[in-house]
Amino acid sequence: MNQNFDIIIVGGGAAGFFTAINLVEKQPKLKVAILERGKEVLTKVRISGGGRCNVTHACFEPNELVKFYPRGEKELRGPFHQFAARETIEWFAQRGVALKIESDGRMFPVSNASQTIIDCFLAATQKLGIAILTGQSVQSIFKKENFWKIETQNENYLAEKLILATGSNPKIWELLQTLGHSVVAPVPSLFTFNTKDSRIKDLPGVSALVSVKVKDTKLQATGPLLITHWGMSGPAILKLSAWGARILFEKNYQFTIVVNWLKDTDTADAEQLLKLIKQEQAKKAVSKKSPFDFPNRLWESLVFASGIESEIKWADLSKVQLQNLSNQLTNGSFQVNGKSTFKEEFVTAGGVDLKEINFKTMQSKLHENLYFAGEIVNIDAITGGFNFQNAWTSGFIVAQSITS
């Protein structure tokens, strides 16, 4: 027995819900169902942003916004001119959810609870009569005349239009390959670096504003770096992991990073700065106080790594010790052996090949009435609300193209 709908959306996450709500708000007569393989919907929304849900980012210029997407920068330019952060804020405001901007540009519900977003979506789907069918793991998808037939482990569904919003789901990618779509093999993105090094061994929790690069590649990033029990994390490291997702995968996560703890100051300038400090603070112990804008504990560790004993005064520093110290400050090499997932926000680089999608409609170029929303396609972003923005934008464009 087939269950018939006008539109079926596979995937009960952010992109799936946003698409469904926008569809039925524009055309209330549409019969729409969301199929979710798990027992619960919106699980990633619940845990994102430490349970606060990082809805979007306060970047209001589409041409700037696209720069946060290692994969998808070119393709998202058009979509972001239609629906981006400003429209997202307005959309939620119209439904009674106020958002606030934090100092780093991330935007959260004023309530500081992801449940606010979940409640908003559930209330909207209920009001609009959208069917939410959980425990429906899709086993096969095929085109039957003018209909899509979707078989789950216990039901068959027919729909004129099919929207896939399943995120990084290998099973759905396999089914798409049987339909002739190409899938870029997924690799992890947004991860932290495992490094055991005496210079940072006793410093978990210490952070500094740095520039960091991966040796023998063009990969580099600036921003806060956070020392952890297992190595290094923080925005600078996460940026590197996103932009370098493929390169670092190919290196099997064994590589060297070079950290400049003074961010923009090169080694020669650092040496000149140290010489000035040497004159000004001649009688003070070098290791006692950081002359730079990062914690004393980190300074002490770098001083020690430069071969400078704890009681040595600035006046007594040799030329070699000064050079060693400027090198440690601006050019410190750290060996990375492996990675760790960043919180629960597991993001992959990979998905449906972008060349096979029409970004004016988010429709497949291979099959009519097959659409994509969210991370199922080969688009991903750095951390900060950008992956959700892609979900909202693509969902909006699918709804717009089907209903206009």
Side-chain angles (χ1 to χ4, degrees), residues 106-124:
R106 293 182 304 160
M107 297 197 70
F108 293 90
V110 168
S111 67
N112 267 332
S114 55
Q115 193 62 43
T116 306
I117 304 299
I118 294 169
D119 291 346
C120 168
F121 285 169
L122 293 176

Side-chain angles (χ1 to χ4, degrees), residues 191-193 212 224-225 232-242 257:
F191 47 83
T192 61
F193 296 173
V212 56
L225 179 150
M232 293 179 179
S233 182
I237 297 297
L238 294 171
K239 272 188 231 173
L240 273 190
S241 78
I257 57 169

Side-chain angles (χ1 to χ4, degrees), residues 170-204:
K171 178 74 193 273
I172 300 295
W173 281 332
E174 266 173 48
L175 295 179
L176 280 167
Q177 284 171 312
T178 66
L179 291 170
H181 267 289
S182 317
V183 172
V184 177
V187 298
S189 179
L190 287 192
F191 47 83
T192 61
F193 296 173
N194 297 352
T195 177
K196 288 203 179 337
D197 191 288
S198 58
R199 287 166 289 178
I200 59 168
K201 183 171 167 279
D202 299 318
L203 302 178

